[in-house]
Amino acid sequence: MIEVLGLAKRYGGFTAVRELSFTVRPGEVLGLVGPNGAGKTSTLRCLAGIIPPSDGTARIAGHDITADPVAAKRSLAFFADEPRLFDYLTVRQHLAFVARIYGVAHHEAIAEPLLEELEIADKADQLPGELSRGMKQKLAIACGLLHAPQVIFFDEPLTGLDPLGIRRMKDSIRRRATAGAAIVLSSHLLHLLEEVCSHVLILKQGEKIADGTLAEVAARFANGETGVDLEEVFLRATGTSAP
Amino acid sequence: MFSALLYLKLTSFRNWLRQRLRRLRRPKYLMGAVVGAAYFWFFLFRQFYGGPGGRTPLAGMPPISTEGRTMVAGLGALALVTWVTLFGWLLPGDKPGLGFSEAEVAFFFPAPVTRRWLIHYKLLSAQPRILFGALFFTYFSNRWSFLGGGAGIHAAGWWLILATLNLHMIGAGFVVARLTDQGVDRRRRRWGLLGAIALVVVAAGLAEWHGLHAPGAGDLASLATIAHYLAPLLTQGPLGWVLWPARLMVGPFLAPDAAGFLRALGPALLLLAVHYVWVLRAETPFEEASLAQAEKRGARIAAVRSGGLAALRAPTKGRRDPFRLAPGGGRPELAFWWKNLLSTRPYFNLRVFGGLAAFIVLGCHWLGRQPDFQEALPAIAMMAAGFAGYVLLFGPSFARQDLRGDLGQVDLMKTYPLPGWQIVLGEMLTPVSILTGVLWLTLLAGAMAFPDGYAGFTPGVRAVVVVAVAVVIPPLCLLQLLVPNAATLVFPSWAPGPRPRGAGGIDMMGQRLIFVIGQLLVVGLAMLPAGLVALGIVVGIGLLLGPIPAVVLATGAVLLILAAELWLGLKWLGRRFEQLDVSADLQA
Ligand SMILES: Nc1ncnc2c1ncn2[C@@H]1O[C@H](COP(=O)(O)OP(=O)(O)OP(=O)(O)O)[C@@H](O)[C@H]1O
Ligand SMILES: [Mg+2]
């Protein structure tokens, strides 16, 4: 469960996100879309407790991210657009490290199938420097999912994955949502978002333009037409549609 | 053609400067800069140069004799040749490139420019660094008034030396790359080179055999006699020939006056020109090597951001776990310790520690029973004390597998469900354990070598004191490491990041010194209450109950006070970590 109320983020005098409010319930997948620089990454980083919000509150699984960050972080996972790894830890050592940080008992029992599923099991003793970008991303994902988070933030999770990887990623996201996780993901790959998201939120220059279920948002910008896809909705909503 | 280069360099410099200046708008950075500048002004410049523009000659040094000048030239040449051999020919890997950055590779290699342009680009873009280096060295050498020659001669001389050196290193890189292409890999090259060096040494030895004699007391009596002894060695025979080009290089710098400078200038310029033609004519393809190098450098920069200076040697193989991180619950701090131990050198482990300890015990024991070495043990005890002081002072600057190494991963660590103090504490455990290990070994050596009964230390008292000191060492190390880690959290943008080679220099040095002084101050202040209490207990209780209970009690009190201070420090640092705004503080 994610509840965001009046969130704002300013960098010096520049406002990257303003007055953002939304709710994601367990089982929902919210797609965060917007042009480059709209404030998607800033929003997600605020929600994950990486940077302090300038204003507003966010509750993660019932815990306020600024007032009680430790409890909130225990139930969230954040995946940055660039996978963040430690250069000196092998794949297996990453998992052991993260398991201790999150207090996951018997992590081997969870980690092995996770590595298998992500198809990096045969790289278990390699350093990140020897992995391809996609594999690094998979490792970061394995680390983040180890503690079975109820709230998951993905920043551009699909870029860099191979077609099979994208398919699995989509499946995995859907499965976690079905299992009761609340998920927010930002992406520019709108046709892929359409397949996994139950809701969308369109940001432009830090402001929310529209949000709701896919159907609701589509209806708002459809102008009575039927079968308007998310791409068209996006272009109309952000005002960049060709005349 | 060079307008593009000029534009690139000037705009890059301007933007870099602008960014720096903008950062100074934040009060804490401004304060730091003012303190740093003041420090440099008062301590370095004034001390070395006796005030702005001033020039304090080295006291009591008469002008150098001709023979002395020859010796200095020879020694300088020897240093240059050694340096070049080591870093230009012996140590480089198989494919030294030209040191292009990733962006330069991406923009220039596909661009319609010639190879010659690329080389010129590289040569010109090294100029600011060389000029700065020449000025920097001149600042120091200006004080060597015994050499004669003014600041102008020194600056020009340094410039010639550095510029030729730069060309030589590039040329050496080309040759090494070509050798590799022809199947001479680094091992064969190194053996071949070592063989050649051995040959020169042997030849020099043979040629000088009759004239060669070990320096006697008479030879070492004064500078003049030393020069008289060394000058012919360095200028004649095979060694003289090998050093000859390098002697030409340092000639202008060592010139006593303008006329001498002009005389030395010709050969030095000729040498520079020869080097230039050599580099330009070398038909070695450097593009591929530069590409690989740029990628490696990019990876290394990333590694340095995340792994500290130790990461300069990019890891290539995973290491075994330093200890077993039991699954299930447990202190998360230990996980950081475990992780950071993986980023250190492999020899920081218990086996090596045990081996060294055994070596120290057995060695001191053996020495103690040799009648010939009666002087050795007290000397070892003194050395141990000195070394311990050194480690206490500078250890925290070297052992940096803590927040300083993980600054690039702060955003990842901020998603961990841990209070800040736990992360900070966990991050510091690795340097604490390394420094503690080193200090314990030193303490062991000191204790083993300590003369029996000296200053009223009975074996019993000595043992208790050693244990007491050993127990205090870990919290003391932790206390010291709080300082550089606090500096990292308060001035994250100043954390020593990756720098292109040669661009470190003065500001790095200044920062290190500032940190060491700050660390001394903080640790001194923090130790003051503990020290006073310990002193009181030792004196008071010592009179009543004897030394052993006094030391035990004093240690307990010191530990309590240190624990309280550490607790406060950790809490404060933890809050700083939680409040660290990565978006504002970790820009560039
Ligand atoms: N650390 C920072 N300091 C100053 N401004 C920043 C910082 N980070 C982001 N911004 C600005 O905030 C705005 C939003 O950036 P953000 O990274 O959130 O965009 P985004 O929606 O993730 O874009 P993209 O689709 O390109 O990933 C941009 O205008 C950016 O320039
Ligand atoms: Mg983004």
Side-chain angles (χ1 to χ4, degrees):
Chain A
M1 179 83 158
I2 309 165
E3 297 150 285
V4 181
L5 204 67
L7 184 83
K9 179 65 195 172
R10 283 182 289 276
Y11 296 110
F14 175 79
T15 306
V17 181
R18 73 185 84 211
E19 277 299 310
L20 186 62
S21 306
F22 61 88
T23 304
V24 185
R25 277 170 277 276
E28 291 182 356
V29 181
L30 174 73
L32 201 56
V33 299
N36 291 137
K40 303 181 294 295
T41 301
S42 303
T43 305
L44 293 178
R45 279 160 75 89
C46 283
L47 295 184
I50 296 173
I51 53 178
S54 312
D55 229 327
T57 57
R59 296 174 75 78
I60 307 294
H63 305 284
D64 192 308
I65 189 72
T66 30
D68 190 3
V70 174
K73 286 172 184 175
R74 212 165 270 144
S75 39
L76 76 77
F78 171 75
F79 300 100
D81 42 1
E82 273 300 316
R84 294 297 187 147
L85 298 169
F86 296 102
D87 297 286
Y88 283 98
L89 269 56
T90 64
V91 169
R92 205 190 296 282
Q93 286 167 339
H94 266 97
L95 293 168
F97 173 68
V98 171
R100 174 59 76 92
I101 297 292
Y102 284 89
V104 180
H106 311 299
H107 72 273
E108 279 101 346
I110 311 171
E112 288 303 329
L114 209 55
L115 289 180
E116 292 289 342
E117 181 192 325
L118 293 167
E119 296 182 312
I120 44 174
D122 57 329
K123 306 272 181 192
D125 289 315
Q126 304 214 338
L127 294 172
E130 304 168 284
L131 301 179
S132 75
R133 188 188 175 285
M135 291 176 190
K136 284 184 202 157
Q137 203 170 344
K138 287 173 174 176
L139 172 56
I141 289 170
C143 289
L145 295 182
L146 206 58
H147 65 289
Q150 277 136 45
V151 170
I152 310 179
F153 301 112
F154 289 102
D155 198 3
E156 312 267 356
L158 302 172
T159 34
L161 294 184
D162 59 13
L164 187 63
I166 292 186
R167 157 78 65 82
R168 299 216 168 164
M169 191 74 206
K170 285 191 301 193
D171 289 347
S172 168
I173 291 174
R174 276 200 217 102
R175 205 152 12 110
R176 307 235 161 230
T178 320
I183 300 177
V184 180
L185 60 112
S186 86
S187 179
H188 296 297
L189 305 175
L190 298 179
H191 53 287
L192 294 174
L193 275 190
E194 260 179 320
E195 297 174 38
V196 284
C197 292
S198 56
H199 295 64
V200 279
L201 191 156
I202 303 180
L203 269 182
K204 185 185 173 187
Q205 289 175 3
E207 280 185 273
K208 178 167 87 177
I209 296 186
D211 74 333
T213 63
L214 275 171
E216 286 167 5
V217 174
R220 226 185 104 187
F221 293 94
N223 301 336
E225 298 165 45
T226 51
V228 181
D229 65 1
L230 188 56
E231 186 174 281
E232 187 57 35
V233 168
F234 177 86
L235 294 177
R236 287 183 192 176
T238 54
T240 44
S241 181
Chain B
M1 142 165 121
F2 288 111
S3 60
L5 162 67
L6 215 58
Y7 175 77
L8 179 69
K9 291 287 158 190
L10 282 182
T11 37
S12 300
F13 179 71
R14 207 179 50 212
N15 290 342
W16 174 84
L17 201 66
R18 203 182 279 166
Q19 200 183 28
R20 288 281 154 121
L21 290 179
R22 199 158 25 178
R23 199 160 68 199
L24 293 186
R25 273 202 234 140
R26 308 185 57 187
K28 63 179 181 185
Y29 287 107
L30 184 63
M31 220 170 61
V34 168
V35 169
Y39 169 80
F40 262 108
W41 186 250
F42 285 114
F43 289 90
L44 272 181
F45 287 156
R46 289 194 28 149
Q47 184 182 334
F48 279 116
Y49 315 114
R55 176 173 171 181
T56 29
L58 277 181
M61 283 279 267
I64 198 164
S65 66
T66 316
E67 208 167 40
R69 200 178 293 280
T70 313
M71 174 189 69
V72 172
L75 288 178
L78 188 65
L80 276 178
V81 168
T82 311
W83 199 83
V84 159
T85 313
L86 210 58
F87 294 102
W89 298 95
L90 210 55
L91 291 181
D94 288 332
K95 293 235 164 186
L98 264 185
F100 285 102
S101 73
E102 265 180 320
E104 283 168 344
V105 167
F107 278 101
F108 295 153
F109 282 24
V113 294
T114 59
R115 245 182 118 254
R116 189 174 273 248
W117 188 90
L118 282 176
I119 293 178
H120 277 130
Y121 169 81
K122 214 54 217 172
L123 292 183
L124 275 184
S125 49
Q127 277 308 314
R129 209 181 61 211
I130 292 176
L131 281 173
F132 180 79
L135 288 179
F136 184 74
F137 287 140
T138 302
Y139 242 142
F140 284 92
S141 68
N142 200 19
R143 183 167 164 253
W144 306 337
S145 57
F146 58 90
L147 284 180
I153 286 181
H154 279 206
W158 279 120
W159 181 85
L160 273 168
I161 293 174
L162 294 178
T164 314
L165 211 55
N166 182 45
L167 277 170
H168 188 89
M169 298 304 273
I170 292 175
F174 285 167
V175 173
V176 166
R178 196 165 52 218
L179 284 178
T180 308
D181 276 346
Q182 291 167 358
V184 184
D185 65 358
R186 88 180 73 173
R187 234 194 37 220
R188 283 167 63 188
R189 165 164 47 90
R190 284 173 190 168
W191 280 117
L193 209 57
L194 287 175
I197 294 171
L199 210 69
V200 169
V201 170
V202 169
L206 285 181
E208 309 275 317
W209 190 246
H210 41 272
L212 207 62
H213 62 101
D219 292 318
L220 300 178
S222 75
L223 264 178
T225 56
I226 293 177
H228 184 71
Y229 174 77
L230 275 182
L233 265 185
L234 292 167
T235 49
Q236 290 164 10
L239 191 60
W241 303 333
V242 170
L243 296 185
W244 176 71
R247 281 215 318 276
L248 295 186
M249 250 169 97
V250 296
F253 167 70
L254 287 175
D257 48 32
F261 178 79
L262 286 181
R263 244 177 290 128
L265 188 61
L269 278 180
L270 194 65
L271 194 69
L272 187 72
V274 168
H275 267 98
Y276 173 73
V277 173
W278 174 44
V279 165
L280 219 55
R281 289 303 238 1
E283 285 297 327
T284 315
F286 58 84
E287 287 82 356
E288 192 192 330
S290 296
L291 195 73
Q293 196 186 29
E295 272 167 12
K296 222 161 62 193
R297 201 159 73 166
R300 209 166 51 185
I301 288 176
V304 171
R305 291 218 167 108
S306 61
L309 285 183
L312 276 174
R313 309 167 150 201
T316 48
K317 275 199 115 54
R319 296 235 323 263
R320 276 190 306 133
D321 298 0
F323 55 85
R324 202 174 121 70
L325 203 58
R331 306 292 311 177
E333 292 93 335
L334 296 185
F336 286 98
W337 189 26
W338 181 88
K339 170 183 89 61
N340 288 344
L341 276 177
L342 279 170
S343 77
T344 60
R345 304 284 159 77
Y347 45 77
F348 288 124
N349 62 38
L350 273 183
R351 254 206 332 255
V352 172
F353 178 81
L356 284 174
F359 174 77
I360 288 172
V361 169
L362 293 178
C364 286
H365 199 70
W366 180 80
L367 271 180
R369 306 207 308 186
Q370 304 298 314
D372 291 348
F373 292 110
Q374 282 313 307
E375 311 285 284
L377 282 183
I380 288 180
M382 291 290 288
M383 264 156 52
F387 184 67
Y390 179 81
V391 172
L392 279 174
L393 262 185
F394 297 106
S397 314
F398 289 112
R400 39 200 312 135
Q401 298 82 1
D402 45 27
L403 280 176
R404 287 169 285 175
D406 267 343
L407 206 55
Q409 313 283 31
V410 164
D411 48 354
L412 176 62
M413 294 196 294
K414 287 201 101 180
T415 65
Y416 292 159
L418 302 173
W421 70 266
Q422 272 191 327
I423 296 180
V424 173
L425 174 62
E427 280 280 336
M428 288 195 297
L429 287 180
T430 297
V432 166
S433 58
I434 290 175
L435 293 181
T436 300
V438 172
L439 284 171
W440 274 353
L441 286 177
T442 314
L443 178 67
L444 183 67
M448 290 292 300
F450 198 80
D452 266 332
Y454 181 74
F457 275 86
T458 64
V461 174
R462 187 169 68 180
V464 172
V465 169
V466 166
V467 171
V469 173
V471 173
V472 173
I473 283 176
L476 186 63
C477 289
L478 192 59
L479 191 68
Q480 283 193 305
L481 282 159
L482 282 179
V483 179
N485 280 288
T488 306
L489 287 182
V490 179
F491 302 105
S493 314
W494 276 7
R499 268 160 232 262
R501 224 175 53 207
I506 197 159
D507 51 336
M508 274 288 264
M509 204 169 69
Q511 272 183 24
R512 285 249 162 118
L513 286 172
I514 291 171
F515 280 164
V516 167
I517 288 175
Q519 181 188 311
L520 263 182
L521 257 171
V522 171
V523 174
L525 276 181
M527 284 303 284
L528 199 62
L532 286 180
V533 169
L535 193 70
I537 291 180
V538 167
V539 170
I541 308 276
L543 285 178
L544 287 176
L545 300 177
I548 293 183
V551 170
V552 172
L553 271 177
T555 309
V558 167
L559 283 182
L560 268 180
I561 295 173
L562 282 187
E565 286 172 350
L566 282 174
W567 178 244
L568 287 178
L570 275 177
K571 276 286 183 192
W572 180 76
L573 260 192
R575 246 197 333 273
R576 292 289 329 172
F577 181 84
E578 285 161 16
Q579 288 163 0
L580 178 70
D581 187 345
V582 279
S583 62
D585 285 317
L586 288 184
Q587 288 302 297

